[in-house]
Amino acid sequence: MSAPVIELVDVTKSFPGPPVVTALHAATIRIESSAYVSIVGPSGSGKSTLLNLLGLLDRPTTGSYLFDGVPTTDLTENGRAALRARSIGFVFQSFHLLPERTVLENVLLSTLYSGVPRESRLERALTAIEQVGLSHRSTFTPATLSGGERQRVAVARAIITSPKVLLADEPTGNLDQQTSRQVMELFEQLNDDGMAVVVITHDAAVARRATRVVHIVDGRVEEQ
Ligand code: ADP
Ligand code: MG
């Protein structure tokens, strides 16, 4: 078993309201650095709340979160941002690509604040585009690509820093079955290459592709 990259212990997240909403109840999740985990649950069950916590985009109300052994609740905002930029890649349902820019430019631009050294940015961008199988599309703009290809550009942008963890929130929500399968295959390949992958989804077929499935219902996490 490899070391945990994510250790969430008794984490609760409440939003102040009024009314107060407790979106996550005392969640404990341990994810190893070689894992491919899906987190599945219905709409409103707390999936995005959990992803925001795992991705250091939000802080727990109570409980502790160690990322790669670092107690993140003690970090400053800058410390969290630096850890996030270095170690976590994000993929969302919407691709968030710049329409006027090429595939290569979209991927390159993401490295501006990522800490990737300037001289290696181009090389890294080309490698990431190759990893998602889009080298032949690097000079294309997003409008000329299929939905699945656009999401693969978003994945290239997310992995350019070689993050420890790829966090995906409903990554196939805008895709048809066939293209969503391509994106899932890409996640499997990245996981085979050593990246921890966490996919949040309400789609049971997508969830089943992972080697481990965590369920979340009404803000309560349970494994099956
Ligand atoms: P999911 O992603 O599974 O659809 P969310 O994590 O977005 O669910 O939301 C879980 C619950 O927390 C919902 O009841 C939602 O309304 C509530 N919630 C999410 N974000 C906020 C917020 N910023 N303020 C108040 N309530 C929120
Ligand atoms: Mg959500």
Side-chain angles (χ1 to χ4, degrees):
M1 293 231 286
S2 54
V5 66
I6 282 174
E7 271 188 295
L8 204 65
V9 182
D10 268 340
V11 164
T12 292
K13 179 67 187 179
S14 299
F15 295 105
V20 175
V21 175
T22 300
L24 199 64
H25 297 268
T28 295
I29 303 176
R30 188 177 185 275
I31 295 176
E32 295 180 7
S33 57
S34 61
Y36 178 7
V37 180
S38 64
I39 296 174
V40 64
S43 179
S45 58
K47 299 184 301 297
S48 294
T49 300
L50 178 58
L51 181 120
N52 290 340
L53 293 170
L54 295 180
L56 301 172
L57 297 168
D58 207 351
R59 287 177 185 269
T61 307
T62 60
S64 80
Y65 177 26
L66 275 78
F67 183 91
D68 205 20
V70 177
T72 62
T73 36
D74 299 341
L75 294 176
T76 62
E77 273 315 306
N78 283 343
R80 289 156 56 83
L83 185 57
R84 186 167 62 229
R86 198 169 58 235
S87 306
I88 305 176
F90 292 93
V91 177
F92 297 101
Q93 177 169 354
S94 311
F95 317 128
H96 301 298
L97 300 176
L98 298 172
E100 308 292 325
R101 305 293 192 136
T102 65
V103 167
L104 178 59
E105 287 167 339
N106 266 281
V107 175
L108 259 178
L109 281 168
S110 73
T111 63
L112 275 181
Y113 307 102
S114 67
V116 175
R118 200 154 155 261
E119 59 275 19
S120 66
R121 284 175 55 209
L122 180 61
E123 194 183 324
R124 296 254 203 135
L126 292 170
T127 303
I129 291 166
E130 192 182 342
Q131 274 181 285
V132 303
L134 287 178
S135 297
H136 60 304
R137 294 282 183 266
S138 58
T139 60
F140 287 46
T141 54
T144 65
L145 302 179
S146 71
E149 287 173 332
R150 286 180 210 173
Q151 189 59 302
R152 279 150 62 196
V153 176
V155 174
R157 187 181 53 193
I159 63 173
I160 188 168
T161 56
S162 306
K164 298 222 155 151
V165 181
L166 184 67
L167 293 178
D169 192 357
E170 304 280 5
T172 62
N174 286 340
L175 303 179
D176 61 41
Q177 267 192 356
Q178 182 167 353
T179 47
S180 77
R181 206 174 306 128
Q182 289 171 4
V183 170
M184 302 316 294
E185 276 162 16
L186 176 57
F187 287 164
E188 278 160 25
Q189 180 197 316
L190 292 170
N191 178 243
D192 285 344
D193 293 344
M195 199 176 289
V197 177
V198 180
V199 174
I200 289 195
T201 182
H202 66 271
D203 182 339
V206 170
R208 274 196 301 272
R209 301 288 299 248
T211 50
R212 179 179 158 202
V213 182
V214 172
H215 291 256
I216 178 165
V217 179
D218 287 339
R220 292 174 205 280
V221 167
E222 60 181 64
E223 203 144 335
Q224 285 175 359

